[in-house]
Each structure stands twice: as structure tokens, then as C-alpha cells.
Amino acid sequence: MIAVRNGSRARARLVALGAHVPERVVTNAEIETWVDTTDEWITTRTGIRERRFVAEDEAASDLGVVAAERILDEAGMAAADVDVLIVPTASPDHIFPSTAALVADRIGAHKAAAFDLNAGCTGFVYALAQACALIESGIGRNVLVVGAEALSRLMDPTDRSTCILFGDAAAGALLVAEEADAQGVTGFLGFELGADGSGGHDLVVPAGGSRQPLGAVDAPGDACIQMNGREVFRFATRVMVDSCTRMLEAVEMGIDEVDLLIAHQANSRIIDHAVPKLGIDPERVLNNLDRYGNTSSASIPLVLTEARDDGRLEPGHLMLLVAFGAGLTWGSTLVRYEPA
Ligand code: COA
């Protein structure tokens, strides 16, 4: 893409959603055969009953390609018209090249700038902020954000505190430029984003980077997700409420003005803890953890795509999105769903 800044007054408008999950369903009963756990323990502690895993020959980009094509179909846009493709992911195909470059090539987005964004499970919200900023600064008009995750590849199947949680999926959204004064366009009302690296060790894949190259792995678990579950739980319950509250206060809105609350799908207990604190009607809170587990950067657009398909998400709805994850990072945004 090429951009000349010309005093753009464009606003970013979220016009389309889409998702793709791999075929293989992994039930809690199957996990019972790997580690000392029970379906009852997993269901009551997390809300998860099953999740999807990629096949042996699949990676994050394979899921991302299908999701990207579905989003563009929904919007009626050709891949050649995408200016920027952002892939938030914590499980990229490689350290480099970026998963985004691989997806852009395969869908035919040959004009697009493409890059990955790693903010752990907050990746989708961070990527929306990037996409919004690129559009509103006049750098790109059509920005595709596709969270693509194959976390099962980074999982230690002998670690019962992590292997029960994660699943694979790709999902995302298309943001387009709309003139700022166009009628009815409200776009993104704001973002609340943060990071606290002092908790980085609480959710980490220690090896495979420059700190501990794969060639220097001592224990096989070092190349897998390692987590201090209690600390992450404490952090997540705190920031989910705080971030939403700060976001609403910043735009002087009340929770009653929000049509749908969509939290990163990590654990039903985290969401259930926040709902009464935020004072939102549970009917307006989306949750599909039972079928997909934690799909990291894909989780928010995955549950949104389902809600669009079953009618719970309607054009014009104001959505409060909130996420938290490795980094440690967190973020929330208020955005209206405005399909073309
Ligand atoms: N099956 C059975 N028992 C398990 C288990 C499993 N799958 N995983 C852990 N346990 C055990 C622990 O070993 C511990 O036993 P102990 O008391 O004998 O030591 C006991 O259950 C309680 O462990 P605890 O860690 O306190 O459980 P918990 O209620 O906090 O649930 C998590 C564990 C991982 C489900 C929970 O901490 C969690 O969801 N944390 C946040 C994770 C997350 O969302 N990460 C991603 C953020 S983006």
C-alpha cells in the first residue's frame, strides 16, 4: 500500500466479522485420558466442555486464511482492496516471517501491508486500536484484523493446569474508513490499553526466542505454555472490571448504554465474577467457552461472529470488548457494529 497523509477526517467503522475453527473436537473426556483430571473439575472450574485442535499439518495461518476470506465475503470486498492486514497471534506459524504476510499472500491481498501483533490474549483489542489509528490518520482505508491461533501446538499435554484451557481458532473483523460526518457513523468511542511486564513470567512460553533458543531447551515443557493460574486469575478478574470501568468513565457512559459485553473467553468464572461488579444484565454478556475454550486473540471475534449469526448481535449495537492476557496486558474498547 502507499499512503499520502492529507488531513484525513475518516473514522473507522467495523463492518464485518468472520471466523473459522478446525474440525477436531477435543472433549474433557479425552483430556481425562492424558492427565489426572475430570470432566466435572474442568467444567466447574472453567466452563469449558470441549475445544478445537488443529490437525498435524495445520498451523495458525491455515485457520487465518479461511477466516479472512469469510470476513471479506461478508463485506463483499476483494482481497486486492485490503490496505493492511494485522494478525494478532500468540502462536504464529514462525518467529518470522509473520503469519500476516503468509495469510495476505494466500488470500491475494497483494497490495496490503501485513504484520503480526503479539499482545497475548489482548491481541485482538490492541489490533483494533492499531487498525483504527491507521484509518483515522489516513494511512489505510480498509484494514483487516484476523486473530489466528494454534495454541494446541504450544501446549504441554502433561500439564493439567494448562492443557484443559486452550483451543485453536481464527476470527476477526474488517474496519473501513468512513467520512467523519457521515450520518449514523459512530465507530470506536475509545480504547483503554495497558501492559505490566512485571507479571510476564506468570504466563510465558520460555523457550524459542532469543532468551532461550530452542537449541538450548533443557526441559521439553520450556517450549510450552507455562502459567501461574492463580496469579493470572487474580489479575484477570481485577483488570476486566477496572478496564471496563475506566473505559466507560472516559466516555461518560453508563453500563446500561452498552448492548453487549464481550470479554476475552478465558474462564467462565472470570466473566461471572465481573458481571455483578459491572452491574450489567447477564443476558447481555456473551460466552461460548463451553465449546471452544480459550482461543486467545481469536476469542472475542469468534463469539461475536456466533452472536451475529444467531441474531444476538444486531446492526447498531454498542459493544464493550475487554481482554487480558500474557504480557501481562489488558485492553477494552467501545465500538458500534455497523455492517455495510
Ligand atoms: N484437574 C484437577 N485438578 C487440578 C487441575 C485439573 N485440570 N488443575 C489444577 N488442579 C488442582 C491443583 O493441582 C490444586 O491442587 P492442590 O490444592 O492439591 O495443589 C487444585 O486443583 C486447586 O488449584 P488452583 O490453581 O487453585 O485451581 P483454580 O481453581 O485456580 O483453577 C485454573 C485453576 C487454571 C483453572 C485457574 O487458576 C484459572 O483459570 N486461571 C486463569 C487462567 C487463564 O485464564 N489463563 C489465560 C489468561 S488469558
Side-chain angles (χ1 to χ4, degrees):
M1 61 156 290
I2 184 159
V4 178
R5 299 212 50 218
N6 56 3
S8 161
R9 291 187 58 240
R11 301 207 60 176
R13 167 173 173 167
L14 194 157
V15 291
L17 295 159
H20 173 62
V21 294
E23 268 179 34
R24 184 177 166 209
V25 177
V26 176
T27 61
N28 290 349
E30 179 173 344
I31 294 182
E32 283 177 3
T33 68
W34 310 343
V35 289
D36 180 16
T37 190
T38 61
D39 172 43
E40 204 258 335
W41 195 96
I42 302 171
T43 308
T44 53
R45 297 292 180 111
T46 70
I48 302 166
R49 294 183 185 279
E50 60 186 42
R51 68 291 286 145
R52 303 296 183 100
F53 278 13
V54 287
E56 284 293 311
D57 59 352
E58 269 180 323
S61 68
D62 300 312
L63 305 181
V65 165
V66 181
E69 288 173 341
R70 288 183 179 168
I71 299 162
L72 292 173
D73 276 355
E74 173 77 13
M77 181 177 288
D81 291 329
V82 174
D83 296 315
V84 184
L85 170 61
I86 308 175
V87 173
T89 179
S91 49
D93 287 26
H94 312 284
I95 287 190
F96 60 81
S98 71
T99 303
L102 302 176
V103 172
D105 177 55
R106 283 174 56 193
I107 65 172
H110 298 305
K111 194 184 79 175
F115 62 95
D116 288 2
L117 187 154
N118 181 348
C121 298
T122 317
F124 183 69
V125 175
Y126 266 60
L128 289 179
Q130 276 285 306
C132 189
L134 287 165
I135 288 172
E136 296 189 358
S137 61
I139 291 175
R141 290 192 68 80
N142 302 322
V143 182
L144 184 57
V145 175
V146 184
E149 301 283 9
L151 288 160
S152 63
R153 296 289 209 196
L154 301 176
M155 234 177 48
D156 178 354
T158 67
D159 176 1
R160 68 178 181 172
S161 69
T162 55
C163 75
I164 59 169
L165 295 176
F166 298 99
D168 303 336
L174 178 71
L175 276 58
V176 302
E178 188 89 24
E179 292 321 306
D181 46 7
Q183 213 179 1
V185 174
T186 56
F188 288 81
L189 303 189
F191 289 90
E192 200 278 332
L193 304 172
D196 176 9
S198 71
H201 55 272
D202 285 328
L203 187 50
V204 61
V205 177
S210 57
R211 175 72 56 197
Q212 189 184 353
L214 275 183
V217 168
D218 306 322
D222 282 358
C224 297
I225 300 166
Q226 297 183 1
M227 184 181 69
N228 180 346
R230 281 181 207 180
E231 274 310 312
V232 175
F233 192 89
R234 244 192 300 267
F235 159 77
T237 46
R238 176 171 53 80
V239 293
M240 182 173 160
V241 176
D242 289 356
S243 183
C244 289
T245 304
R246 283 196 290 262
M247 183 70 259
L248 288 165
E249 280 173 3
V251 295
E252 297 178 356
M253 290 181 88
I255 195 77
D256 292 344
E257 293 170 82
V258 172
D259 294 300
L260 289 175
L261 171 69
I262 303 96
H264 165 52
Q265 307 286 299
N267 182 326
S268 287
R269 284 196 297 142
I270 295 172
I271 299 174
D272 293 345
H273 172 271
V275 165
K277 287 204 152 53
L278 289 169
I280 188 166
D281 175 0
E283 292 286 307
R284 289 191 277 134
V285 182
L286 302 183
N287 184 332
N288 67 358
L289 269 150
D290 56 334
R291 278 158 297 130
Y292 301 110
N294 178 345
T295 59
S296 192
S297 293
S299 86
I300 288 177
L302 179 62
V303 72
L304 274 176
T305 302
E306 266 194 351
R308 176 203 66 194
D309 292 344
D310 67 23
R312 276 175 303 161
L313 173 62
E314 294 173 19
H317 266 168
L318 184 65
M319 309 178 284
L320 175 54
L321 316 183
V322 59
F324 39 82
L328 300 169
T329 55
W330 68 89
S332 57
T333 183
L334 275 163
V335 54
R336 222 169 267 286
Y337 173 55
E338 295 170 308

